[in-house]
């Protein structure tokens, strides 16, 4: 339980990842998809969740940092938006009554252990509606160096693509770190 405690400490101030900015890639995606049910995994203080709600989505945001959830709820109330925020571990999510049309992850998956990533992906298959989308922003393993810090490596991507269909990938850099936005879709099980 040290990790949630340490993340909560970071939310006493503004952690570097909590810029308050909505990624343009997410705004583009929101403009392309009809509003539906969305799940924001690792939602932090709710910036992306609130953007989805403003666009007409029914949104649930999940984070294991209770202080982040508190701040997200406060932001939603101030904005007059209805978003449900839950304190939960993304590797052990509660049962939801209905699947989601969109699952969003802006920088959570890459911070998980190998076991956590496997558990997360198994749940993702359960959480996504048929033809549902998973929008992922992640740091990538550097091709020239051993992983240092949070990252999604080629083996992680192979594991994901065995379960979900890759629709798009947009590579970039976050400072010096390679990163990418991915859009995956639930495989057609028929």
């Amino acid at each position: 339980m040290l990790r949630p405690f340490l993340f909560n400490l970071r939310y006493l101030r503004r952690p570097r990842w909590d810029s308050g900015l909505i990624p343009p890639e997410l705004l583009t995606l929101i403009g392309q998809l009809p509003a539906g049910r969305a799940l924001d995994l690792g939602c932090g203080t709710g910036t992306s969740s609130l953007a989805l709600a403003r666009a007409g989505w029914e949104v649930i945001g999940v984070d294991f940092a209770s202080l982040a959830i508190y701040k997200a709820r406060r932001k939603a109330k101030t904005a007059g938006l209805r978003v449900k925020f839950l304190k939960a571990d993304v590797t052990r999510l509660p049962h939801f009554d209905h699947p989601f049309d969109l699952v969003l992850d802006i920088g959570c998956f890459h911070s998980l252990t190998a076991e956590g990533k496997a558990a997360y992906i198994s749940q993702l298959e359960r959480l996504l509606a048929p033809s549902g989308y998973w929008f992922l922003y992640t740091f990538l393993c550097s091709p020239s160096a051993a992983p240092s810090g949070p990252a999604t490596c080629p083996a992680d991507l192979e594991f994901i693509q065995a379960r979900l269909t890759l629709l798009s990938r947009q590579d970039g850099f976050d400072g010096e770190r390679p990163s990418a936005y991915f859009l995956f879709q639930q495989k057609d099980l028929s």
Side-chain angles (χ1 to χ4, degrees):
M1 294 319 268
L2 183 60
R3 278 179 55 89
F5 175 75
L6 293 174
F7 270 81
N8 272 313
L9 284 179
R10 290 182 174 178
Y11 280 106
L12 289 173
R13 295 216 170 133
R14 183 179 226 168
R16 62 180 160 67
W17 60 82
D18 187 23
S19 68
L21 300 174
I22 303 160
E25 296 82 359
L26 176 59
L27 292 173
T28 298
L29 181 69
I30 291 171
Q32 295 171 344
L33 297 177
R37 289 179 39 86
L39 178 63
D40 185 358
L41 297 176
C43 68
T45 61
T47 301
S48 296
S49 297
L50 297 176
L52 285 162
R54 279 187 199 94
W57 290 77
E58 179 185 337
V59 185
I60 297 175
V62 175
D63 204 291
F64 73 170
S66 55
L67 189 51
I69 292 297
Y70 170 77
K71 289 181 175 191
R73 288 176 180 155
R74 219 173 61 202
K75 284 169 64 174
K77 184 176 181 180
T78 299
L81 295 169
R82 291 186 53 193
V83 177
K84 184 175 184 177
F85 289 105
L86 302 173
K87 180 185 178 292
D89 181 334
V90 297
T91 66
R92 293 186 304 271
L93 290 168
H95 175 75
F96 295 103
D97 292 336
H98 303 285
F100 295 90
D101 304 300
L102 174 65
V103 175
L104 174 67
D105 181 329
I106 306 293
C108 177
F109 179 79
H110 62 220
S111 66
L112 300 173
T113 64
E115 296 79 20
K117 289 175 181 177
Y120 176 115
I121 296 301
S122 293
Q123 291 184 99
L124 190 58
E125 293 175 291
R126 166 181 66 84
L127 295 168
L128 281 172
S131 300
Y133 298 96
W134 180 40
F135 188 66
L136 171 68
Y137 171 77
T138 184
F139 293 140
L140 298 172
C141 290
S142 175
S144 61
S148 63
T152 299
C153 296
D156 298 323
L157 294 173
E158 288 175 23
F159 182 77
I160 294 165
Q161 287 182 270
R163 288 152 184 79
L164 300 169
T165 302
L166 176 63
L167 298 179
S168 68
R169 174 179 175 158
Q170 183 177 347
D171 287 84
F173 285 90
D174 189 326
E176 301 281 319
R177 300 196 65 178
S179 62
Y181 283 93
F182 292 90
L183 181 61
F184 293 96
Q185 190 171 31
Q186 179 79 290
K187 289 193 180 212
D188 185 3
L189 302 175
S190 57

